[in-house]
Amino acid sequence: MGSTQEAKFSFKRLLSRAALLVAAFGAGAGMADGYVRIVLGGKTLHWSDPNIDWQLNTESFSGLDSVGVSDAADRAFATWNQISKSAINFQRGADTAAADYSKSSHLVYLDSDNSSGFFPNGSGTVAITPIIYSTSDGRMIDVDIIFNGKDFDFALHAGGNDFDLQDVMTHEIGHMIGLDHSPVHGSSMWPYVAPGQWLHRSLTQDDISGGIAAAKIGGIAVLKGKLHDFEGENLQGGGVGLIRADDGRLAATGISNANGNWVVKGIPAGQYYVYAFPIEGYMTAANFTSDSAVKTDFGVEFYGGFGNPYQITATQGDTTDCGTLQVARDGAVQDVFRHAQLIAQGETKAVTVFGSNLQANNTTLIDFSNQILLGSSTSTSSMVSTMASVGSNCPVGSYDLFLELANGELEVVPGAIEVVAAAPKVTSLNLSNGDISGGDEVIVEGENFVDGAYVIVGGREAQATQFIHSTRIGFTTPASDGGVADVIVQNPDGQEATLIDAFQYSAIPRYADLFPRAGYRGGGTELRVIGSGFTSGMSVEIDGTTSTPTVHSSTFFTVIAPPASRTGSVDIVLVSADQVRTSYADIYTYVNTPDPRIESFTPESGKKNGGTEVNLYGDNLGGSVRVRFGVDPVTAQGGQFAGGVELAANSKLTMTTPSNPVGSYGVVVELPNGQGAIANSTFQFEGSLSAGGGCGGVATGQSGGKPSDWLAFVILIGGWYLLQRPKFRHQSV
Ligand SMILES: [Zn+2]
């Protein structure tokens, strides 16, 4: 990838009493050192209300699934909302089509044509967070996040050649709460990002302390102190690192102000080794949005000295003053370490620090963890290398590497090693296809799953994710536009595993009801089927014989029943266009008698209150016929039953209409065995004519039974009409 330019873009504009600045995320690899808050003109940027509304312009991310973009943004904001002891609370507002950062709403959008002006050719800036703040008190007024779609591509997954949207967004949100870039290599606020990177999705302790410092809740642990240069003058812009004495992890970094004072808030309570370091190397003062001076002409020094550093206690709800530290003289050595070296628990990896003015064969790498064993160091004047073996119980987090030269110089790469948990693996799903409407229950099998992991199907987050075990997660599929989808398990630390093309989405036809429920074994009966997921490519198997239905809509098709070799109930299988079969047992019955038919009826209209006498003519009407008025003339569903049905002859019925809402409806006859017919013409229910004095409002409480009621009723009294509850089977080929 040619994306190794550094982000050097800085932009400042005064807007009356407010000022605009930008915090940019550059592409490439780098060097430097914890959490730093943005300070401008001596004012620390902050929100007066930690409840911060934001809005997403999903459509601006053209080429990416808008649901997936939305889900990735939710994960990124949730990451910052979840910091305990931080009051920061992002609240998502309605999605918007706005793409103008100068408006007061806090927008997240992609700029594909540099309409923002922040992405001139060669800027190398992947994304930017313009901030409008009050110059009088540092209060943030408007903050937006803009992705550079002109020069870079973004993806809804890690590991590829594009920038992971969630990874980059998590970083930018850090700026949104007022954090500057951090010199901790493995932190989310490290100023550089590489394509495919996932590391910034989760926060290091340094980022977490920054989130607490931005808006704390309750008592927190604070360390403070003062830096003096070698002449005893206050040292401004010196970096300060805090190493946990118990396990050697880097907790947080800070930076000294104009008086040499430094303060780091929101660290875990415990014992710390504290050191000062120059912010130079791959990250420099140029990476800061803050406008304060950064001094780098000094060397690394510990409170108490490198050989025997003090253990300083940080107490919850208290501030510990570490006193004044005089830093060492400036050395010649510099590192150019770009990205943190990721090493999994239990893994051994080479670590190489490149730089300048190292001592060949006399530079040694040192760390503070007793669970990271470093082999002997090999060095030239421009690099030092060793093998790092990380214990399987080594706590995850950032670890510093110190470079000690035989001439006494000391250099540090803050957070050079990022110890991570074992990566997840995905091996299989128990179900490999489902409906585009989502909701299918699936179990994903694999390794190293962690409670809180996300399951992402086709870029969209699965619902009802249930962590069962480190090898199993249950979830229900999100809705899809169709096609084959990758399934990703993303652990809370941001690591993910993908099962490519693991799940096939189909429009799966599903049955709800049909009319009639029985037909002549000689075939030719037109079945009217209602349900969902019907598409033009589907087919229907009736007792094993395949027919092509006429699909009228996604919820209605008609099909002509083929001749049968036997009588009795049969299965109907609905086969999706891509051959997913769903079988419904015994929902249709072949009988020996010819189907009934409606020739005509008269009259063809009557009052909505019912009571109209109707003569109906047809064939094969038989005894015990039921007649339904007010039915849907297309699907034959719905309607009310006529009263007083009598067979006047084999081809004539008489009856009295039920009450029914005004309108034109179909008429249906049904035989006790399930055979039936729908009339070609419709019966019009008419409103009551106005009769002087107006008495049309007498409600009689007539309740014509619905077909299902009738079925239940008939079972009760006659037992000749079986209520056929479809049995659902779902299979795939
Ligand atoms: Zn940034």
Side-chain angles (χ1 to χ4, degrees), residues 352-636:
T352 301
V353 179
F354 293 95
S356 55
N357 302 317
L358 279 64
Q359 280 184 291
N361 305 315
N362 267 317
T363 305
T364 306
L365 288 170
I366 298 167
D367 77 293
F368 274 71
S369 165
N370 57 16
Q371 300 223 40
I372 301 177
L373 297 179
L374 300 182
S376 57
S377 299
T378 307
S379 61
T380 69
S381 63
S382 60
M383 57 85 78
V384 56
S385 185
T386 190
M387 294 301 290
S389 296
V390 173
S392 55
N393 294 318
C394 183
V396 300
S398 307
Y399 294 84
D400 298 337
L401 276 181
F402 290 86
L403 284 66
E404 188 177 40
L405 277 61
N407 66 6
E409 279 188 42
L410 189 62
E411 167 76 335
V412 65
V413 185
I417 293 176
E418 188 73 17
V419 173
V420 298
K425 291 177 187 162
V426 181
T427 52
S428 64
L429 305 180
N430 72 330
L431 179 69
S432 60
N433 59 62
D435 192 75
I436 55 173
S437 60
D440 285 299
E441 295 182 1
V442 184
I443 292 173
V444 53
E445 306 249 8
E447 293 175 34
N448 303 326
F449 299 160
V450 175
D451 196 2
Y454 299 100
V455 178
I456 298 162
V457 184
R460 300 179 179 184
E461 225 169 86
Q463 305 304 305
T465 303
Q466 189 181 5
F467 176 79
I468 302 166
H469 190 265
S470 64
T471 61
R472 310 184 91 197
I473 298 176
F475 64 93
T476 59
T477 55
S480 164
D481 297 330
V484 178
D486 294 347
V487 173
I488 293 173
V489 173
Q490 183 188 125
N491 273 345
D493 71 355
Q495 291 193 82
E496 68 181 35
T498 305
L499 199 59
I500 293 171
D501 293 346
F503 195 82
Q504 166 80 49
Y505 276 107
S506 309
I508 296 181
R510 299 200 194 280
Y511 161 90
D513 204 352
L514 84 170
F515 177 88
R517 295 183 180 179
Y520 180 49
R521 63 177 288 185
T525 307
E526 183 185 52
L527 308 187
R528 297 166 188 249
V529 180
I530 61 169
S532 62
F534 302 158
T535 63
S536 59
M538 68 176 288
S539 59
V540 180
E541 289 177 17
I542 301 173
D543 197 25
T545 302
T546 299
S547 300
T548 301
T550 302
V551 177
H552 302 273
S553 73
S554 64
T555 59
F556 178 60
F557 71 79
T558 53
V559 66
I560 306 298
S565 57
R566 61 190 176 95
T567 58
S569 62
V570 298
D571 296 352
I572 293 182
V573 180
L574 304 185
V575 184
S576 75
D578 47 11
Q579 304 302 307
V580 177
R581 302 161 57 85
T582 309
S583 180
Y584 297 89
D586 300 330
I587 61 170
Y588 186 67
T589 303
Y590 279 110
V591 298
N592 267 322
T593 51
D595 290 333
R597 189 178 68 86
I598 300 175
E599 174 70 32
S600 63
F601 53 83
T602 181
E604 293 191 336
S605 65
K607 292 173 292 185
K608 69 172 186 177
N609 289 339
T612 303
E613 290 193 5
V614 174
N615 294 320
L616 185 149
Y617 304 92
D619 297 320
N620 307 320
L621 297 174
S624 304
V625 174
R626 299 278 166 166
V627 182
R628 220 166 359 115
F629 283 77
V631 305
D632 183 318
V634 175
T635 65

Side-chain angles (χ1 to χ4, degrees), residues 54-65:
W54 63 281
Q55 288 181 281
L56 183 64
N57 181 339
T58 57
E59 298 309 316
S60 66
F61 293 86
S62 55
L64 290 181
D65 174 57

Side-chain angles (χ1 to χ4, degrees), residues 22-26 127-129 168 171-172 175 179-181 188-192 287 289:
V22 294
F25 204 0
I128 208 159
T129 301
V168 176
H171 172 95
E172 298 300 329
H175 291 316
L179 296 184
D180 207 332
H181 287 140
S188 290
M189 298 314 294
W190 176 246
Y192 301 100
N287 294 112
T289 302

Side-chain angles (χ1 to χ4, degrees), residues 249-308:
R249 275 184 291 178
L250 176 63
T253 58
I255 189 166
S256 61
N257 68 12
N259 299 319
N261 293 324
W262 61 268
V263 60
V264 177
K265 302 175 179 175
I267 51 175
Q271 305 290 113
Y272 286 91
Y273 303 122
V274 181
Y275 64 92
F277 66 99
I279 298 175
E280 60 186 6
Y282 204 70
M283 177 180 163
T284 68
N287 294 112
F288 284 130
T289 302
S290 300
D291 58 3
S292 323
V294 174
K295 215 162 183 304
T296 59
D297 56 347
F298 67 97
V300 175
E301 187 58 276
F302 275 75
Y303 280 88
F306 183 56
N308 191 20

